Amino acid sequence: MNSGSLDAPIALLLSGGLDSCILLGHLLEQGRWVQPFYVRSDLVWQREELAAVGGFLQAVDSTRLRDLVILDLPLRDLYGDHWSVTGRDVPEATTPDNAVYLPGRNVLLVVKTAVWCQLHGIGELALGVLRSNPFADATDAFFDDFESALARAAGNRVHIVRPFAGLDKRQVMALGKRLPLDLTFSCISPAGGIHCGICNKCAERIAAFRLIDVDDPTEYAAGQVGMK
Ligand SMILES: [Zn+2]
């Protein structure tokens, strides 16, 4: 699932959610040196996400894991009264996957991280994108074009790799079964610092644990009411 040399570090965008955290465990298990990133955009779930990222990194502590780099990319000026900024009318459990699309999300997440990689001589940037990702900015064509545009601007190419792009949620969850998944965070409407249990992403999380018949260790403010 990856072709990089073991000694060359690979950058990884972490969101604190299941997919990117499992990808971290997977890359380390493959013997890769990993440079983790978190992009701080001041969206409503940031505090909980960032705490999850810190907790997970600490738990999987490895000599091949570099210190977390946090990049600031505030989006409140751009997103205005979007639910990701206001926390109002957040897509609930029954909404379709595309309800949680954030405008320009992958462009914004990747651009600063990829330039950091160019500046620091890292040739690969990994994203925890799954086969089921429904968005146009998660396709092969999008990433190929984006990678080329960045290389044209700066000369050295950063390969944007998606080791899980051929896998579905069940396969990814199975890969991560032995990781401390209780420390991950997926909610877009945190309640009192914990998962709300009723938003689109909580429903996806609840369904993900059911896929592998593992007891969901997550504490949900509303109990496990969501289903997708
Ligand atoms: Zn939630």
Side-chain angles (χ1 to χ4, degrees), residues 91-173:
E92 291 186 355
T94 53
T95 53
D97 286 346
N98 59 15
V100 295
Y101 179 69
L102 297 173
R105 187 60 176 159
N106 278 343
V107 173
L108 295 165
L109 279 175
V110 169
V111 71
K112 242 179 139 169
T113 318
V115 173
W116 194 101
C117 290
Q118 285 178 326
L119 292 173
H120 292 81
I122 292 183
E124 279 185 298
L125 168 59
L127 305 182
V129 174
L130 272 52
R131 187 168 69 196
S132 55
N133 188 305
F135 304 128
D137 67 359
T139 60
D140 290 345
F142 167 77
F143 286 112
D144 287 348
D145 289 349
F146 198 71
E147 195 179 295
S148 299
L150 280 169
R152 195 173 289 274
N156 54 330
R157 196 175 188 97
V158 176
H159 294 287
I160 301 168
V161 298
R162 292 159 291 140
F164 289 169
L167 305 185
D168 62 21
K169 194 77 174 186
R170 185 193 307 272
Q171 292 169 305
V172 170
M173 288 298 290

Side-chain angles (χ1 to χ4, degrees), residues 1-225:
M1 273 182 286
N2 89 72
S3 55
S5 131
L6 286 184
D7 291 333
I10 184 167
L12 169 65
L13 264 168
L14 279 178
S15 70
L18 291 166
D19 303 338
S20 61
C21 284
I22 293 173
L23 182 52
L24 171 64
H26 176 70
L27 292 170
L28 289 171
E29 205 171 280
Q30 289 195 316
R32 299 302 304 268
W33 288 81
V34 180
Q35 172 59 67
F37 285 89
Y38 181 82
V39 178
R40 207 157 41 185
S41 296
D42 295 342
L43 303 179
V44 291
W45 49 83
Q46 174 173 292
R47 191 165 51 100
E48 290 80 2
E49 257 192 12
L50 194 47
V53 166
F56 193 85
L57 287 172
Q58 208 168 12
V60 298
D61 189 31
S62 159
T63 50
R64 282 176 281 103
L65 185 56
R66 294 183 168 187
D67 289 342
L68 177 68
V69 169
I70 296 175
L71 296 172
D72 283 311
L73 191 69
L75 294 177
R76 287 175 171 255
D77 49 356
L78 181 65
Y79 282 179
D81 61 359
H82 192 266
W83 54 265
S84 60
V85 171
T86 64
R88 291 191 299 271
D89 299 323
V90 172
E92 291 186 355
T94 53
T95 53
D97 286 346
N98 59 15
V100 295
Y101 179 69
L102 297 173
R105 187 60 176 159
N106 278 343
V107 173
L108 295 165
L109 279 175
V110 169
V111 71
K112 242 179 139 169
T113 318
V115 173
W116 194 101
C117 290
Q118 285 178 326
L119 292 173
H120 292 81
I122 292 183
E124 279 185 298
L125 168 59
L127 305 182
V129 174
L130 272 52
R131 187 168 69 196
S132 55
N133 188 305
F135 304 128
D137 67 359
T139 60
D140 290 345
F142 167 77
F143 286 112
D144 287 348
D145 289 349
F146 198 71
E147 195 179 295
S148 299
L150 280 169
R152 195 173 289 274
N156 54 330
R157 196 175 188 97
V158 176
H159 294 287
I160 301 168
V161 298
R162 292 159 291 140
F164 289 169
L167 305 185
D168 62 21
K169 194 77 174 186
R170 185 193 307 272
Q171 292 169 305
V172 170
M173 288 298 290
L175 272 179
K177 229 172 176 174
R178 283 184 300 278
L179 293 168
L181 300 182
D182 54 312
L183 299 176
T184 64
F185 193 84
S186 315
C187 178
I188 50 175
S189 187
I194 62 172
H195 289 81
C196 74
I198 53 175
C199 75
N200 178 296
K201 299 300 284 185
C202 277
E204 188 182 310
R205 182 182 180 90
I206 291 164
F209 281 102
R210 288 181 183 164
L211 280 174
I212 52 164
D213 286 327
V214 163
D215 283 339
D216 185 347
T218 315
E219 185 187 359
Y220 296 98
Q224 289 198 15
V225 296

